[in-house]
Amino acid sequence: MKVIIIGGGIGGLCTALAMRTRGIDPVIYERAAEPGDVGAGLMLWPNAMKVLSALGAGAAVIAAGARLIHSRLCTANGKTLHEGRLDELETRVGTPVVAIHRAALHRILAEALETGMLRFAMPCVNVVQHADSVTVQFANGASDSADLIVGADGIRSAVRRQMFPHIQLRYSGYTAWRGVVETTDEAALGVTTEMWGMGARFGIVRVDRSRVYWFATYNQPAGEISSPEERKAKLLSIFRTWCAPVPHLLEATPAAAILHNDIYDIRSFAPWSREQVTLLGDAAHPTTPNMGQGACMAIESAYVLARALAQEPGLPSALHRYEAERRARTRWVTNTSWSIGRGAQIDHPALCLLRNWLVRSLPASMFQSLLWRAAGYDVTAS
């Protein structure tokens, strides 16, 4: 079987690696002109680390990233709402929680591919299905055909727009800024922290020995356009009174290095497949980042798709099995993450006080149950 993967992000790269372990020949076409230091940081929970280990990349990811031990949720002035031990999750499932720069993960996955399997500067413009094959056409006039095309080209997927033009993005109501900065601040390097204010949040996650990934959210309409300097000035204004090390991290981040994206997802939909084309990752089941499971879901789906293609007698049954195994889990993550974001972004003073009281009052077992359902899942065992 020949498979074409559209999109060389985490989902596309993991799909190619998973397929190679099953004896399937994939080729990846990526729209970017060349590899680069894309994105900021991300968290890889045990559910994703188990897949990466099965694909032979687990040890390299742990070495390049940071093992997370302790997490803390607090208010903007530093009052603790909840604390958790991530090393206890590692003890329970046998796999650590790892944070890593997205570019470092890309490099590890790309270097594990065979030469020529990943091709750059190939934007997909059209997909044409035939009786027993499918052809993808590119912006430069080239084309290629295969038995299956996997659209792993992100939340604004060109493949999805052609297959399911009625599917619409859903704006969360808040925007996000992200950055990675080198620091010696022990508070920033020591504990994975998320702070909740009124209509705003700030998170800090160590991604290697000397750098932390930070993210900030704020309630506002979508579509703001600003210069790097305006972006940084706005962040410093919003978070000027927040507790340390928030102002320090913002000051230390070069304006040009601050990324800005409005936060969207898509309501769960079906099917993801049509004849010889299917979707994967953010093209099929994008989620808001409130559970840190977006990349993890793509990694899980890559493993399940490759397994279904290898074990089922034909393409229709393989794609049916792939969707059947993934739809309920990805729907739960999307819906749960959306609900967490709604609560975390409350901007009414009285409701924020009530929310904080409720979070402090919830038993630890409720947090552990939610964490275990998300991160304790082992797709490689089924």
Side-chain angles (χ1 to χ4, degrees):
M1 175 180 288
K2 179 183 176 182
V3 178
I4 290 174
I5 300 168
I6 305 299
I10 293 170
L13 293 171
C14 285
T15 301
L17 289 175
M19 287 183 176
R20 287 302 300 137
T21 66
R22 304 279 181 173
I24 300 169
D25 294 322
V27 58
I28 306 171
Y29 289 105
E30 164 59 38
R31 67 178 295 117
E34 59 184 15
D37 287 340
V38 294
L42 55 84
M43 292 180 69
L44 296 169
W45 293 91
N47 54 304
M49 288 301 302
K50 285 184 178 292
V51 175
L52 292 172
S53 294
L55 299 180
V61 169
I62 292 172
R67 215 183 202 107
L68 304 184
I69 305 299
H70 181 202
S71 68
R72 180 170 176 255
L73 175 64
C74 61
T75 63
N77 62 9
K79 185 175 182 180
T80 298
L81 300 175
H82 174 75
E83 289 190 270
R85 298 291 306 187
L86 299 179
D87 52 351
E88 293 179 357
L89 179 64
E90 178 180 352
T91 299
R92 183 174 179 181
V93 302
T95 308
V97 183
V98 177
I100 190 170
H101 196 294
R102 185 177 291 267
L105 179 58
H106 276 191
R107 282 194 295 272
I108 291 168
L109 298 175
E111 288 171 1
L113 297 175
E114 296 175 11
T115 302
M117 195 176 289
L118 174 57
R119 304 175 189 179
F120 291 94
M122 300 291 285
C124 166
V125 295
N126 194 30
V127 173
V128 181
Q129 303 208 49
H130 313 289
D132 57 358
S133 65
V134 59
T135 298
V136 59
Q137 299 170 338
F138 300 100
N140 62 4
S143 64
D144 195 5
S145 297
D147 301 294
L148 171 68
I149 286 179
V150 179
D153 50 341
I155 191 169
R156 300 184 184 278
S157 166
V159 179
R160 188 189 64 241
R161 284 199 305 271
Q162 181 175 339
M163 292 173 58
F164 307 109
H166 62 284
I167 300 297
Q168 299 294 316
L169 303 185
R170 174 173 62 165
Y171 182 52
S172 64
Y174 49 93
T175 196
W177 299 267
R178 296 168 293 144
V180 175
V181 62
E182 192 163 340
T183 181
T184 58
D185 189 291
E186 292 185 5
L189 290 168
V191 179
T192 301
T193 305
E194 184 167 329
M195 306 174 190
W196 289 3
M198 291 189 294
R201 281 177 288 166
F202 199 94
I204 305 166
V205 184
R206 182 175 183 166
V207 293
D208 56 30
R209 292 183 178 181
S210 61
R211 294 186 299 171
V212 298
Y213 157 59
W214 61 260
F215 66 86
T217 65
Y218 187 65
N219 291 351
Q220 67 177 43
E224 178 181 87
I225 299 175
S226 59
S227 69
E229 292 72 22
E230 290 170 335
R231 198 175 300 159
K232 183 169 180 175
K234 180 171 183 173
L235 283 167
L236 288 170
S237 175
I238 294 171
F239 296 98
R240 68 185 183 279
T241 63
W242 287 48
C243 67
V246 173
H248 159 72
L249 293 177
L250 292 175
E251 287 282 8
T253 307
I258 298 175
L259 306 177
H260 177 216
N261 300 96
D262 295 324
I263 301 300
Y264 292 88
D265 72 359
I266 294 176
R267 295 180 187 274
S268 181
F269 69 96
W272 299 340
S273 306
R274 179 167 293 169
E275 297 177 2
Q276 305 105 326
V277 182
T278 194
L279 303 174
L280 184 140
D282 282 353
H285 45 74
T287 177
T288 52
N290 303 298
M291 297 174 71
Q293 284 285 342
C296 300
M297 289 298 101
I299 293 168
E300 284 186 4
S301 290
Y303 189 89
V304 171
L305 175 59
R307 179 173 59 194
L309 290 172
Q311 295 180 353
E312 291 297 313
L315 184 59
S317 60
L319 297 182
H320 175 79
R321 173 178 166 181
Y322 159 61
E323 292 194 37
E325 288 190 30
R326 296 303 296 154
R327 191 173 298 118
R329 176 157 168 81
T330 57
R331 180 172 58 242
W332 175 77
V333 169
T334 296
N335 293 341
T336 304
S337 183
W338 181 269
S339 297
I340 291 172
R342 298 283 288 181
Q345 292 293 138
I346 290 172
D347 55 13
H348 188 283
L351 292 178
C352 284
L353 289 173
L354 176 60
R355 174 200 65 193
N356 294 347
W357 176 81
L358 286 171
V359 171
R360 283 196 303 269
S361 302
L362 290 173
S365 60
M366 289 190 64
F367 290 96
Q368 291 168 354
S369 177
L370 179 65
L371 184 61
W372 176 250
R373 182 173 178 183
Y377 186 82
D378 185 0
V379 73
T380 67
S382 57

